[in-house]
Structures are given as C-alpha cells and as structure tokens.
Amino acid sequence: METTSRVGAQAPAAEDGQQVPSARRTVDGYLRAPFPWYGLDEAFTGPRWLMQVGTAADGAVEHGSLGHGDEPSIRHETTEDEKERFAVVVTVAAHPGRRSPDGTGQLEATSVSSAAWLAGAGLLTCTWPGQLDHTLRDDWLAQQTETAWILADDLDGPEWSSLSLPVDGVPTPFHYRESEFGWVLAGSTEQGVHVGAYGRGMSAYGLGFAVAEIATYA
C-alpha cells in the first residue's frame, strides 16, 4: 500500500499510557507544515483542540490531527448515552514516493489509504472495550490496529461505503465505514492533501470540512 509509515500514527502517550493533554500540545508543529490543515467547517460551533503532528525521519511534518467536541478518554467503559461526542480530522500531505531530503532513505508515497489508516488507528487509541482489563488491551489494540491497516488497503472492499460531504463548500466523495467503536472516513481535497476523520457520538453525515484556522484550536 502506498501510505505513510505506521510509526507515529497513534496519539502521544504519557508514562501511564494516557493521552497527552491539550495543555501540553503546541502549535509549533502545525505552523511548520507546508500544507493546509483541515478541520470541521463553521457549521460546527463546539470546542476545538490541538492533537499532534507526525513527522518524517528528517523532521518534516507529514500529517496531523485536529479535535472537535469532547476530548475522548482512552478508557471506554461508558454506556451508549454517556459516550463522548467528538470528531477528529486528520490531514495528510499528498506526495509521491521520493528520496528523503538528506538522501539517506526513501519516503513512502501517501494516498487516501494513508488518511484512512491514520483515522482508523486514531479511533482505536481512544477505545477500550469494557470486557478487557488493562493487561489484555495491548494485545487487543495490536490486533485491531492490524485490521485497520488491512481495511485501509482495501477502500473498494465491502467494509466501506460511499459518502459525499462538503470540502471547502464543494461536494466531495469519501470512503466511509462504521464499527462498534465509531466511524472512519477518508477522501482527498483539491488543496493537495488527503483528509481522514473519525468520531463517536457525532454523526458523520452532517459534517463539512474546511481549511482550518489553527489559532482557533490553540
């Protein structure tokens, strides 16, 4: 699959395994990116928050995520009515396979599958099936992450359906799938990036995407 490396796809974690809080995230990485970031459009009026960026071996920013709604906790032992309501938008720079700027290796090409993979992996990082204890979650997460990778490599497969959503006001086709943990979607924009998204408690069908003003997330 022409996609980004799986290394760094998950949210940053502290020593106890919990996600790094927004207060410890900065805009620095986002501002270094040579591509536009995408988030939910102005129709969404709830909280917006920074997540993290992913970089290549040479430090170049390759992808990153912006959050909307309730910040999800990793532990997922709530009832259906108590689930957090959130949507996370993933932006991935679109580029072909190429040599790294320092000439030491090859950077993989990115595609819509890259965005689908990062979105699927992101959803898993904030999912904790209630029937599993802490010692079993790592095994479960590894298994489900591999499944997300396989699904992202088969966007025309039966697990995915088609969904049209506005991007910068223009109807745009997306690949979409649902699971017991939430939903994932992925597509491309006319701005040279691929966009993925995942969420829970918020319907994907009413969402729209637009170039983000990072200052509104900081």
Side-chain angles (χ1 to χ4, degrees):
M1 175 172 63
E2 294 183 345
T3 184
T4 53
S5 168
R6 286 188 275 184
V7 176
Q10 296 182 4
E15 291 182 358
D16 61 358
Q18 297 299 303
Q19 286 179 297
V20 177
S22 292
R24 291 167 56 187
R25 305 171 193 143
T26 69
V27 300
D28 296 350
Y30 295 92
L31 298 179
R32 294 201 317 270
F35 54 85
W37 295 103
Y38 272 80
L40 297 187
D41 62 19
E42 69 280 357
F44 176 78
T45 59
R48 297 173 183 256
W49 31 277
L50 298 176
M51 295 189 68
Q52 70 284 331
V53 300
T55 60
D58 62 356
V61 176
E62 295 281 288
H63 60 82
S65 304
L66 294 171
H68 309 78
D70 303 323
E71 290 201 49
S73 58
I74 292 179
R75 187 175 292 275
H76 173 41
E77 297 176 342
T78 58
T79 66
E80 187 71 25
D81 292 337
E82 294 172 335
K83 288 180 182 178
E84 303 100 339
R85 299 181 67 255
F86 67 89
V88 173
V89 181
V90 182
T91 305
V92 183
H95 57 66
R98 67 203 191 284
R99 291 194 64 79
S100 60
D102 59 10
T104 60
Q106 185 77 14
L107 298 179
E108 298 181 16
T110 61
S111 66
V112 178
S113 289
S114 306
W117 147 245
L118 289 167
L123 179 62
L124 291 171
T125 63
C126 55
T127 300
W128 191 314
Q131 72 272 20
L132 294 184
D133 61 28
H134 191 281
T135 59
L136 294 177
R137 184 176 184 270
D138 287 346
D139 291 339
W140 175 87
L141 185 58
Q143 181 186 55
Q144 293 297 319
T145 298
E146 186 64 26
T147 298
W149 176 262
I150 294 171
L151 289 173
D153 201 21
D154 187 23
L155 293 177
D156 293 323
E159 297 293 333
W160 299 89
S161 59
S162 297
L163 180 62
S164 179
L165 296 172
V167 176
D168 297 321
V170 179
T172 302
F174 283 88
H175 299 275
Y176 174 79
R177 69 178 176 88
E178 294 182 356
S179 74
E180 60 184 302
F181 312 120
W183 51 262
V184 173
L185 59 80
S188 296
T189 79
E190 297 180 354
Q191 299 297 319
V193 297
H194 305 296
V195 171
Y198 62 91
R200 190 160 57 221
M202 292 174 59
S203 172
Y205 288 86
L207 301 182
F209 305 98
V211 173
E213 292 289 342
I214 293 299
T216 65
Y217 291 81

